[in-house]
Amino acid sequence: MAPLFALPGTLLDGSSLAAMLTGLSAKTLLLGDGADLDDEVDRLASHAILPSVWLGHSLGGIVALHLATRHPDKVAALVLLGSNARAGCETREDRRIAQWALAQLDGLTALVRDDLAPAYGLATSADSAITASLCAQAEGIGLVRFERQLGYARARPGLLSPRQPLVCPLLVLSGELDTLCPPPHGDEIASLVQPSGRAEHHILGGAGHLFPMQQPDLAARHLRHFLTSLEQGAV
């Protein structure tokens, strides 16, 4: 089986993907060490001696897409969770600016509690444990990495215009209720794969953007089926 690398999203660490990856031999790499997106992708690619499966959630999936186009020899397959292939200029720069200002003024815990948690749909007391985990992860990532992560999101060129084909097998998972990267974004990614039969896109019913934490078992079933298919040469 090809090595498996996991890339968590903005202000997230390996604990955000741990439940989904239970029983799998995956190496988690945190985002935010490279000075810019190309530097970060080059740094991540250097960890892969052999063509590898790259699993990315949210910004981690966006970075994995950029890695696949910049270092195709390092990619055996992609698994993208709640992600998109759009350019940074097509997304809300005003929101990134506001998030950075809030993080600097009130701290990362306040950013998670007052901005990110509501955007993720975490609004009830039942969600308090997840919100607490997100706060702890954000504090561990820190402001320096967060600023770089915002830069990666801002600078990403996108794969849709002009279209850049993907030539590796691809699994895309989208949350039905995800407002940040809704299912049509997953359709856009899947449409880039040539030949088209090497792409799978599954929409997880009732799931939001944080489905790797909230519905890890459902996501894991799709992941394990995809990895088994890779081993058997079925995709």
Side-chain angles (χ1 to χ4, degrees):
M1 178 176 169
L4 174 61
F5 290 96
L7 307 179
T10 303
L11 288 176
L12 299 175
D13 64 23
S15 62
S16 68
L17 298 171
M20 179 182 174
L21 297 175
T22 298
L24 296 174
S25 180
K27 181 176 178 59
T28 299
L29 303 173
L30 302 184
L31 301 181
D33 285 343
D36 58 31
L37 179 58
D38 286 345
D39 285 345
E40 180 70 345
V41 165
D42 292 345
R43 179 187 74 85
L44 296 170
S46 71
H47 287 269
I49 299 173
L50 300 172
S52 302
V53 178
W54 294 87
L55 179 150
H57 174 223
S58 194
L59 179 63
I62 290 169
V63 172
L65 277 170
H66 192 59
L67 191 152
T69 60
R70 188 170 171 86
H71 296 281
D73 58 311
K74 299 284 190 174
V75 179
L78 289 174
V79 179
L80 306 179
L81 317 171
S83 195
N84 70 75
R86 299 185 173 195
C89 63
E90 298 176 56
T91 57
R92 290 184 55 186
E93 178 62 13
D94 60 332
R95 187 162 189 270
R96 285 191 284 266
I97 292 172
Q99 288 177 336
W100 177 240
L102 178 57
Q104 287 184 297
L105 182 64
D106 294 333
L108 290 170
T109 291
L111 171 64
V112 171
R113 184 186 62 239
D114 300 337
D115 181 276
L116 297 183
Y120 296 151
L122 303 177
T124 69
S125 58
D127 299 321
S128 59
I130 292 179
T131 300
S133 175
L134 294 178
C135 290
Q137 291 178 63
E139 292 292 346
I141 295 297
L143 279 172
V144 173
R145 274 203 176 107
F146 178 48
E147 183 177 23
R148 290 173 180 162
Q149 290 174 354
L150 290 175
Y152 306 158
R154 179 182 300 112
R156 69 188 194 268
L159 279 68
L160 300 173
S161 182
R163 290 177 65 82
Q164 299 186 46
L166 295 171
V167 296
C168 61
L170 170 71
L171 170 65
V172 182
L173 299 182
S174 299
E176 178 190 19
L177 306 180
D178 188 349
T179 59
L180 300 179
C181 292
H185 290 189
D187 290 333
E188 291 173 350
I189 300 172
S191 73
L192 296 170
V193 175
Q194 299 296 329
S196 59
R198 305 181 83 194
E200 299 180 28
H201 180 206
H202 300 283
I203 300 172
L204 308 186
H209 191 64
L210 290 179
F211 64 81
M213 296 180 68
Q214 295 177 296
Q215 284 112 323
D217 293 342
L218 179 57
R221 285 199 294 272
H222 288 291
L223 172 61
R224 290 177 180 278
H225 182 270
F226 180 71
L227 294 177
T228 298
S229 298
L230 283 177
E231 283 193 275
Q232 296 173 348
V235 291

